[in-house]
Amino acid sequence: MKRSDFPHDFVWGTATAAYQIEGAAAEGGRGESIWDRFAHTSGKVLEGATGDRACDHYHRWSADIALMRRLGMGAYRFSISWSRVLPQGRGYINPRGLDFYDRLTDGLIEAGITPFATLYHWDLPQALQAIGGWAHPDMPLWFADYATTIFDRLGDRIPFWITLNEPWCVAVLGHLTGVHAPGIRDLRQTLMVSKNLLFAHGLAVQRFREITKGAQIGITLNMTAQTPATDREPDIQAALRGDAFNNRWFADPIFRGSWPQALVETLEFPRELEIQPDDWALVQEPIDFLGLNYYTRNIVRDAPDVTPMRIETVRAAGAPHTEMDWEIYPAGLYDLLDDIRTRYDNPPVFITENGAAFPDSIAADGRVHDTDRIEFFKRHFAQAQRFIESGGDLRGYLVWTFMDNFEWAYGYSKKFGLVHMDPTSLTRTPKQSAEWFQRFLEGD
Ligand code: FCB
């Protein structure tokens, strides 16, 4: 497989997120975010790791861009830290925060790297959490105001925008299982949050249309392929519930104007979650592309006692797994792209994340021999190519991630980078996969 097997204008690059790489948590006028608070709460993140310093990208952004350029990357998806720009979440705008993203954007453009900016990658200002966070009915407006501040400053230079990264994770991991910030476990709040996230997204898209010209905006959703554990009817139904829960919860509202029925029935949505006809138009505000994050599949079986979806996942015996214990299942990427095409009328799609954690280390020869990652990407790229060949509208592929970083509740223990990053010395060492990717991009 070669780069030339893809359309000539296909976008290739990597992705990161602010809290995972920036560090400088108390510098430049930045306010506290829910991830600062969560990581500093004992027992929440493995080994007590925090993003206080992370990859120190806040100070090293220029060298990081130079490295991306040297590696031949065409695009870079980063996220903006809301509390760096609006330390209290609303009101006072911190000029140093805006300046940072301004310099980063110009630096990327000068290096010939196309910027993709994500407005929200999970780091809500703590000041907003203190008054209710995503469950607060005014959150959509506050988000839209924050988005407006960013569009005003950068809307003329950044061609691709993403409102929210993985709202499913915000709702479910943040408010149902509590393994992510803000660490809440409450189904009712989860459902309120999911509704507010959809409104926030829609409002930001509306503001975007008023402010920017020529740029594109979308949302990034994580999807997990669903396979029934057996061909028994209860397991087939369980996989459909898993599909509604994991893949359709946010996509159906945005593209079809309705919640997935299996979700509404199984979770017994309360009345206040009903979306009024007028509000559906807001949720369905047309977007330019869908961002898809794909990592793995779930093998699902019926489990009547397991809340909230009455499903359980089964580990695929004998199949290869990554360090996250996620099954390596490239065909799932094709299957989900195909579902998106048929369900939502073939929208333009960018893969905004795909990658794998492996137990990388620097060998005696000074190199990181991550051949498993190279193999992983070859097999996933092939599925993307297969989708394009079948007529699918796939426009780009952003690999997770540029360099090893703060992997949320796993701290620095899970390494997804093409570039090795030593959390102590902060040294960047391109792995063999980075060199392979570079050669792929050069058309070798
Ligand atoms: C995704 C997140 C990203 C990273 C990868 C491994 O869910 O968007 O920040 O943690 O998983």
Side-chain angles (χ1 to χ4, degrees):
M1 200 204 10
K2 302 181 301 303
R3 181 179 190 163
S4 55
D5 295 334
F6 289 80
H8 73 277
D9 55 354
F10 195 79
V11 174
W12 292 100
T14 63
T16 63
Y19 189 71
Q20 295 180 277
I21 65 163
E22 283 182 7
E27 282 179 62
R30 178 181 177 278
E32 190 189 8
S33 84
I34 57 173
W35 267 96
D36 297 300
R37 182 65 64 98
F38 191 74
H40 279 274
T41 307
S42 116
K44 299 297 183 190
V45 174
L46 201 70
E47 294 163 345
T50 74
D52 287 359
R53 194 168 71 137
C55 310
D56 195 35
H57 173 75
Y58 182 74
H59 296 114
R60 294 163 195 246
W61 61 272
S62 178
D64 286 337
I65 292 177
L67 180 55
M68 283 176 209
R69 178 188 208 161
R70 185 158 76 66
L71 293 171
M73 288 169 187
Y76 175 55
R77 171 178 177 233
F78 62 94
S79 83
I80 294 168
S81 156
W82 185 339
S83 66
R84 202 177 274 297
V85 176
L86 293 150
Q88 297 299 312
R90 54 197 172 134
Y92 170 70
I93 299 172
N94 171 31
R96 287 180 290 169
L98 276 180
D99 288 348
F100 172 68
Y101 296 107
D102 200 276
R103 287 194 296 272
L104 180 69
T105 301
D106 283 347
L108 288 164
I109 293 169
E110 275 162 34
I113 299 169
T114 304
F116 280 64
T118 306
L119 290 167
Y120 187 72
H121 201 126
W122 305 353
D123 44 359
L124 188 73
Q126 179 61 34
L128 296 182
Q129 189 61 47
I131 51 174
W134 280 107
H136 192 291
D138 289 340
M139 266 302 298
L141 270 175
W142 297 333
F143 177 72
D145 288 346
Y146 153 62
T148 302
T149 303
I150 305 293
F151 298 149
D152 280 339
R153 181 70 175 260
L154 299 171
D156 58 335
R157 277 167 291 157
I158 296 183
F160 296 98
W161 292 85
I162 290 154
T163 53
L164 306 173
N165 177 70
E166 302 187 350
W168 183 90
C169 291
V170 177
V172 174
L173 305 184
H175 299 82
L176 186 63
T177 63
V179 298
H180 279 185
I184 292 166
R185 293 181 188 187
D186 179 323
L187 178 59
R188 201 183 172 82
Q189 267 204 57
T190 303
L191 299 176
M192 287 307 296
V193 164
S194 73
K195 179 172 157 176
N196 286 339
L197 286 163
L198 285 166
F199 287 165
H201 157 78
L203 271 183
V205 174
Q206 284 185 346
R207 300 278 183 95
F208 183 78
R209 301 292 178 215
E210 289 160 16
I211 298 168
T212 68
K213 282 176 200 63
Q216 298 189 21
I217 195 162
I219 187 169
T220 280
L221 303 179
N222 53 309
M223 296 191 182
T224 307
Q226 306 288 316
T227 307
T230 70
D231 54 12
R232 288 173 49 236
E233 188 56 25
D235 289 337
I236 292 171
Q237 290 303 322
L240 290 174
R241 287 198 300 283
D243 187 40
F245 184 69
N246 281 283
N247 304 329
R248 308 180 74 140
W249 188 337
F250 291 87
D252 272 20
I254 291 169
F255 290 106
R256 294 160 76 130
S258 60
W259 298 105
Q261 203 45 39
L263 192 72
V264 173
E265 281 166 13
T266 317
L267 297 184
E268 296 171 3
F269 272 34
R271 271 191 76 80
E272 66 263 31
L273 218 86
E274 282 167 17
I275 293 182
Q276 301 309 312
D278 288 357
D279 292 336
W280 273 116
L282 177 63
V283 172
Q284 286 185 275
E285 196 62 50
I287 52 177
D288 302 304
F289 63 89
L290 173 66
L292 172 66
N293 289 356
Y294 176 72
Y295 288 95
T296 188
R297 74 160 161 180
N298 289 341
I299 298 178
V300 185
R301 84 169 157 226
D302 184 43
D305 300 333
V306 178
T307 56
M309 289 303 290
R310 299 189 275 111
I311 57 180
E312 201 166 61
T313 59
V314 185
R315 198 171 190 278
H321 287 70
T322 68
E323 274 288 284
M324 299 294 281
D325 207 28
W326 293 345
E327 186 191 353
I328 300 176
Y329 187 66
L333 175 60
Y334 178 90
D335 294 344
L336 286 169
L337 287 166
D338 192 41
D339 285 345
I340 291 167
R341 157 167 60 187
T342 46
R343 286 175 186 166
Y344 309 127
D345 199 16
N346 199 21
V349 180
F350 286 91
I351 294 166
T352 41
E353 285 180 30
N354 169 247
F358 290 111
D360 308 315
S361 60
I362 299 188
D365 62 0
R367 303 180 68 207
V368 180
H369 301 280
D370 59 337
T371 47
D372 32 18
R373 184 171 288 102
I374 297 173
E375 198 54 32
F376 179 95
F377 282 126
K378 280 186 182 166
R379 296 178 60 201
H380 285 80
F381 287 8
Q383 295 294 329
Q385 202 260 331
R386 183 180 150 217
F387 178 67
I388 295 169
E389 201 117 279
S390 73
D393 191 356
L394 183 63
R395 306 204 173 168
Y397 202 126
L398 306 175
V399 162
W400 187 268
T401 178
F402 174 58
M403 61 185 151
D404 297 339
N405 57 42
F406 177 81
E407 179 47 40
W408 308 113
Y410 296 93
Y412 297 93
S413 69
K414 299 286 183 267
K415 301 171 188 141
F416 279 86
L418 292 178
V419 173
H420 181 276
M421 195 282 310
D422 182 322
T424 308
S425 69
L426 302 172
T427 305
R428 279 82 159 135
T429 309
K431 301 177 191 176
Q432 221 173 302
S433 58
E435 294 159 13
W436 169 80
F437 194 38
Q438 178 178 13
R439 285 196 304 276
F440 171 83
L441 294 174
E442 283 164 357
D444 198 11

Short mmCIF file of all heavy atoms in Angstrom, two decimals, residues 160-182:
data_model
loop_
_atom_site.label_atom_id
_atom_site.label_comp_id
_atom_site.label_asym_id
_atom_site.label_seq_id
_atom_site.Cartn_x
_atom_site.Cartn_y
_atom_site.Cartn_z
N PHE A 160 -9.94 23.84 9.35
CA PHE A 160 -10.79 22.73 9.83
C PHE A 160 -11.00 22.84 11.34
O PHE A 160 -10.03 22.96 12.09
CB PHE A 160 -10.17 21.38 9.50
CG PHE A 160 -10.06 21.12 8.02
CD1 PHE A 160 -8.86 21.34 7.36
CD2 PHE A 160 -11.16 20.69 7.29
CE1 PHE A 160 -8.76 21.13 5.98
CE2 PHE A 160 -11.07 20.48 5.92
CZ PHE A 160 -9.86 20.69 5.26
N TRP A 161 -12.26 22.78 11.72
CA TRP A 161 -12.65 22.94 13.13
C TRP A 161 -13.47 21.76 13.59
O TRP A 161 -14.29 21.22 12.85
CB TRP A 161 -13.48 24.21 13.28
CG TRP A 161 -12.68 25.46 13.05
CD1 TRP A 161 -12.41 26.05 11.85
CD2 TRP A 161 -12.02 26.24 14.04
NE1 TRP A 161 -11.62 27.15 12.05
CE2 TRP A 161 -11.37 27.30 13.39
CE3 TRP A 161 -11.92 26.15 15.45
CZ2 TRP A 161 -10.64 28.27 14.07
CZ3 TRP A 161 -11.21 27.11 16.12
CH2 TRP A 161 -10.57 28.16 15.44
N ILE A 162 -13.27 21.41 14.86
CA ILE A 162 -14.05 20.34 15.49
C ILE A 162 -14.63 20.92 16.77
O ILE A 162 -13.88 21.47 17.60
CB ILE A 162 -13.14 19.13 15.78
CG1 ILE A 162 -12.75 18.47 14.45
CG2 ILE A 162 -13.81 18.13 16.70
CD1 ILE A 162 -11.47 17.71 14.47
N THR A 163 -15.94 20.84 16.92
CA THR A 163 -16.57 21.42 18.11
C THR A 163 -16.17 20.62 19.35
O THR A 163 -15.52 21.13 20.25
CB THR A 163 -18.10 21.42 17.99
OG1 THR A 163 -18.54 20.09 17.67
CG2 THR A 163 -18.57 22.40 16.92
N LEU A 164 -16.57 19.34 19.38
CA LEU A 164 -16.35 18.51 20.57
C LEU A 164 -15.60 17.26 20.19
O LEU A 164 -15.86 16.67 19.14
CB LEU A 164 -17.69 18.08 21.17
CG LEU A 164 -18.71 19.17 21.53
CD1 LEU A 164 -20.03 18.52 21.95
CD2 LEU A 164 -18.17 20.07 22.65
N ASN A 165 -14.70 16.84 21.06
CA ASN A 165 -14.08 15.54 20.90
C ASN A 165 -14.84 14.52 21.74
O ASN A 165 -14.94 14.66 22.95
CB ASN A 165 -12.63 15.56 21.38
CG ASN A 165 -11.99 14.17 21.28
OD1 ASN A 165 -11.76 13.69 20.18
ND2 ASN A 165 -11.76 13.51 22.41
N GLU A 166 -15.38 13.51 21.07
CA GLU A 166 -15.97 12.36 21.75
C GLU A 166 -16.93 12.73 22.87
O GLU A 166 -16.69 12.45 24.05
CB GLU A 166 -14.87 11.44 22.30
CG GLU A 166 -13.91 10.94 21.22
CD GLU A 166 -12.92 9.90 21.74
OE1 GLU A 166 -12.84 9.70 22.96
OE2 GLU A 166 -12.23 9.27 20.91
N PRO A 167 -18.06 13.37 22.53
CA PRO A 167 -19.04 13.70 23.58
C PRO A 167 -19.50 12.47 24.36
O PRO A 167 -19.87 12.58 25.53
CB PRO A 167 -20.19 14.35 22.80
CG PRO A 167 -19.96 14.02 21.36
CD PRO A 167 -18.49 13.84 21.20
N TRP A 168 -19.45 11.31 23.73
CA TRP A 168 -19.82 10.08 24.45
C TRP A 168 -18.94 9.89 25.68
O TRP A 168 -19.40 9.53 26.76
CB TRP A 168 -19.70 8.87 23.50
CG TRP A 168 -20.13 7.57 24.13
CD1 TRP A 168 -21.38 7.02 24.11
CD2 TRP A 168 -19.30 6.66 24.85
NE1 TRP A 168 -21.38 5.83 24.80
CE2 TRP A 168 -20.11 5.58 25.26
CE3 TRP A 168 -17.94 6.63 25.22
CZ2 TRP A 168 -19.64 4.50 26.00
CZ3 TRP A 168 -17.46 5.56 25.96
CH2 TRP A 168 -18.30 4.50 26.35
N CYS A 169 -17.65 10.14 25.52
CA CYS A 169 -16.72 9.98 26.65
C CYS A 169 -16.99 11.04 27.72
O CYS A 169 -16.90 10.76 28.91
CB CYS A 169 -15.27 10.07 26.19
SG CYS A 169 -14.78 8.65 25.19
N VAL A 170 -17.31 12.25 27.27
CA VAL A 170 -17.63 13.32 28.23
C VAL A 170 -18.82 12.87 29.07
O VAL A 170 -18.80 12.94 30.31
CB VAL A 170 -17.95 14.64 27.50
CG1 VAL A 170 -18.35 15.72 28.51
CG2 VAL A 170 -16.76 15.09 26.65
N ALA A 171 -19.87 12.40 28.38
CA ALA A 171 -21.10 12.01 29.09
C ALA A 171 -20.87 10.75 29.92
O ALA A 171 -21.11 10.74 31.14
CB ALA A 171 -22.24 11.79 28.09
N VAL A 172 -20.40 9.69 29.27
CA VAL A 172 -20.37 8.37 29.93
C VAL A 172 -19.17 8.21 30.87
O VAL A 172 -19.34 7.84 32.04
CB VAL A 172 -20.40 7.24 28.87
CG1 VAL A 172 -20.22 5.88 29.53
CG2 VAL A 172 -21.72 7.29 28.10
N LEU A 173 -17.98 8.50 30.39
CA LEU A 173 -16.81 8.30 31.27
C LEU A 173 -16.75 9.38 32.35
O LEU A 173 -16.30 9.13 33.46
CB LEU A 173 -15.51 8.29 30.45
CG LEU A 173 -15.46 7.26 29.31
CD1 LEU A 173 -14.09 7.27 28.64
CD2 LEU A 173 -15.79 5.86 29.80
N GLY A 174 -17.21 10.58 32.00
CA GLY A 174 -17.16 11.68 32.95
C GLY A 174 -18.30 11.69 33.96
O GLY A 174 -18.15 12.15 35.09
N HIS A 175 -19.49 11.18 33.55
CA HIS A 175 -20.67 11.35 34.39
C HIS A 175 -21.43 10.07 34.72
O HIS A 175 -22.40 10.11 35.47
CB HIS A 175 -21.65 12.35 33.73
CG HIS A 175 -21.04 13.71 33.55
ND1 HIS A 175 -20.23 14.02 32.49
CD2 HIS A 175 -21.11 14.83 34.32
CE1 HIS A 175 -19.84 15.29 32.60
NE2 HIS A 175 -20.35 15.79 33.69
N LEU A 176 -21.01 8.94 34.14
CA LEU A 176 -21.71 7.69 34.43
C LEU A 176 -20.77 6.69 35.13
O LEU A 176 -21.05 6.21 36.22
CB LEU A 176 -22.30 7.08 33.16
CG LEU A 176 -23.18 5.85 33.36
CD1 LEU A 176 -24.42 6.21 34.19
CD2 LEU A 176 -23.61 5.26 32.03
N THR A 177 -19.64 6.40 34.49
CA THR A 177 -18.69 5.49 35.14
C THR A 177 -17.73 6.27 36.04
O THR A 177 -17.11 5.69 36.93
CB THR A 177 -17.87 4.71 34.09
OG1 THR A 177 -17.09 5.64 33.33
CG2 THR A 177 -18.77 3.93 33.15
N GLY A 178 -17.57 7.56 35.76
CA GLY A 178 -16.75 8.39 36.63
C GLY A 178 -15.25 8.17 36.54
O GLY A 178 -14.50 8.66 37.38
N VAL A 179 -14.79 7.46 35.51
CA VAL A 179 -13.35 7.21 35.40
C VAL A 179 -12.60 8.39 34.79
O VAL A 179 -11.37 8.41 34.77
CB VAL A 179 -13.02 5.92 34.61
CG1 VAL A 179 -13.61 4.70 35.33
CG2 VAL A 179 -13.55 5.98 33.17
N HIS A 180 -13.34 9.35 34.25
CA HIS A 180 -12.75 10.60 33.75
C HIS A 180 -13.32 11.77 34.54
O HIS A 180 -14.39 11.65 35.15
CB HIS A 180 -13.08 10.79 32.26
CG HIS A 180 -12.20 10.01 31.34
ND1 HIS A 180 -12.28 10.12 29.98
CD2 HIS A 180 -11.21 9.12 31.58
CE1 HIS A 180 -11.37 9.32 29.41
NE2 HIS A 180 -10.72 8.70 30.36
N ALA A 181 -12.62 12.91 34.44
CA ALA A 181 -13.13 14.13 35.08
C ALA A 181 -14.50 14.47 34.48
O ALA A 181 -14.70 14.26 33.29
CB ALA A 181 -12.15 15.28 34.83
N PRO A 182 -15.45 14.96 35.27
CA PRO A 182 -15.33 15.33 36.69
C PRO A 182 -15.58 14.19 37.66
O PRO A 182 -15.70 14.45 38.87
CB PRO A 182 -16.42 16.40 36.83
CG PRO A 182 -17.48 15.98 35.85
CD PRO A 182 -16.74 15.39 34.68
#
